[in-house]
Amino acid sequence: DVYGWFEGIAFPLAYFNLEVLREARDTFVVKDEDIIMVTYPKSGTHWLIEIICLIHSKGDPKWIQSVPTWQRSPWIETTHGYELLKDKEGPHIFTSHLPIQLFPKSFFNSKAKVIYGIRNPRDVLVSAYFFLRKMNITKKPETLQEHMEWFLQGSVIYGSWFEHVRGWLSMRDRENVLVVSYEDLTKDPRSTVEKICQFLGKKLKPEEIDLVLKYSSYQFMKENKMSNFSTIPDEYLDKGFSFQRKGVAGDWKNHFTVAQAEAFDEIYQKKMAGFPPKLFPWE
Ligand code: A3P
């Protein structure tokens, strides 16, 4: 089997180790100055990382052009990312796809800042389908229908989207948590970036914001070797893989059949029942 199971959630063993997952949750010390990007996979994680790194460098692209994404902002739960972070001094910038119950416990008593990225789950599903078709470390879905079944049951890596989002959004009123949507980023990147700057307490000049927007654009990221996944070893990915696939909101409409859209809606309504909908731009 390509998966290991931790607290009922599947993790591909090529990147994960159950001991590390436990250690990251139980003993990793989150610092007050840390900045953490948290998302369910395929919600625009790499885009957010790019924006944060560029805010950090006030729009100077040197850093994003010389260090790969997974080193600039390592995924704490991966074996490699944990290794990079655990003994590193000073404030960290890091990433995680962990559901809230598996996240480092020390965060909850810290002032570290979490940016939680959300995206229409239909687009998350489509994006993940095409991604998994190219990935060699996970189970490959044969059809979109098959992946939809896995997705709706939560039998995918990192578990159920619904539980992930409901869990993390329970933190949304905390001062140190900001929720950002992929849809807002595509619709109005400038004000979304300004909102992130404000949350991080970073004052950037308008021309520095221009640079953040320029270098985090879809086209620029697609061509930047440090951001487009070209540094990931070949054995993990099929040839011809492009990380920046389509980069739009609403692509699910090109892939779901009417019957699939209806079936999805029915389960969505059930799983999100009683949840304040105002936060979701896709509703
Ligand atoms: P699509 O597959 O719909 O194109 P993650 O980083 O969480 O894995 O998310 C990947 C998704 O973000 C992909 O979506 C990818 O194309 C999109 N993406 C990456 N960089 C982007 C950018 N600069 N602008 C818009 N979308 C971007």
Side-chain angles (χ1 to χ4, degrees), residues 38-239:
V38 183
T39 58
Y40 187 84
K42 313 318 290 176
S43 302
T45 326
H46 291 71
W47 195 7
L48 278 172
I49 295 173
E50 215 72 343
I51 290 169
I52 302 306
C53 291
L54 285 161
I55 290 176
H56 204 72
S57 66
K58 297 196 180 250
D60 183 339
K62 223 176 293 146
W63 192 28
I64 61 153
Q65 287 179 310
S66 54
V67 183
T69 316
W70 47 272
Q71 274 179 26
R72 278 186 263 127
S73 183
W75 273 246
I76 185 159
E77 65 269 22
T78 62
T79 309
H80 179 84
Y82 190 71
E83 210 45 50
L84 287 176
L85 286 166
K86 74 170 187 205
D87 301 319
K88 206 177 131 230
E89 287 289 315
H92 300 114
I93 293 183
F94 63 94
T95 305
S96 180
H97 291 315
L98 288 171
I100 198 161
Q101 72 276 18
L102 302 185
F103 200 68
K105 287 180 178 155
S106 59
F107 164 71
F108 301 96
N109 297 314
S110 80
K111 296 195 174 94
K113 292 183 173 160
V114 159
I115 298 173
Y116 186 62
I118 55 172
R119 186 181 191 188
N120 187 334
R122 298 162 187 84
D123 284 335
V124 168
L125 189 162
V126 168
S127 181
Y129 169 69
F130 288 106
F131 185 66
L132 294 175
R133 299 272 303 160
K134 301 275 185 187
M135 265 283 183
N136 295 324
I137 59 163
T138 52
K139 257 178 21 182
K140 268 190 211 231
E142 289 295 324
T143 58
L144 185 72
Q145 178 62 30
E146 183 174 38
H147 181 61
M148 189 174 291
E149 284 160 23
W150 296 350
F151 184 92
L152 291 172
Q153 286 159 11
S155 43
V156 282
I157 57 173
Y158 288 103
S160 156
W161 179 90
F162 302 95
E163 281 165 30
H164 202 284
V165 167
R166 293 185 68 131
W168 274 105
L169 286 186
S170 70
M171 303 282 292
R172 69 188 178 279
D173 291 331
R174 290 210 182 187
E175 234 169 69
N176 60 336
V177 175
L178 177 74
V179 180
V180 171
S181 76
Y182 184 93
E183 288 72 19
D184 285 346
L185 263 177
T186 42
K187 208 165 85 191
D188 193 350
R190 176 171 286 269
S191 32
T192 312
V193 166
E194 284 168 351
K195 202 162 90 179
I196 297 173
C197 287
Q198 197 180 11
F199 174 69
L200 297 177
K202 301 267 185 198
K203 291 198 173 66
L204 266 62
K205 301 191 188 100
E207 55 277 21
E208 290 167 341
I209 303 265
D210 289 340
L211 295 174
V212 172
L213 292 170
K214 171 177 168 189
Y215 294 123
S216 65
S217 70
Y218 177 83
Q219 206 50 40
F220 197 86
M221 282 182 66
K222 199 180 174 86
E223 283 157 23
N224 178 4
K225 284 196 182 59
M226 295 298 157
S227 317
N228 66 12
F229 255 58
S230 6
T231 56
I232 301 286
D234 276 352
E235 72 257 33
Y236 293 153
L237 282 170
D238 285 357
K239 285 219 174 353

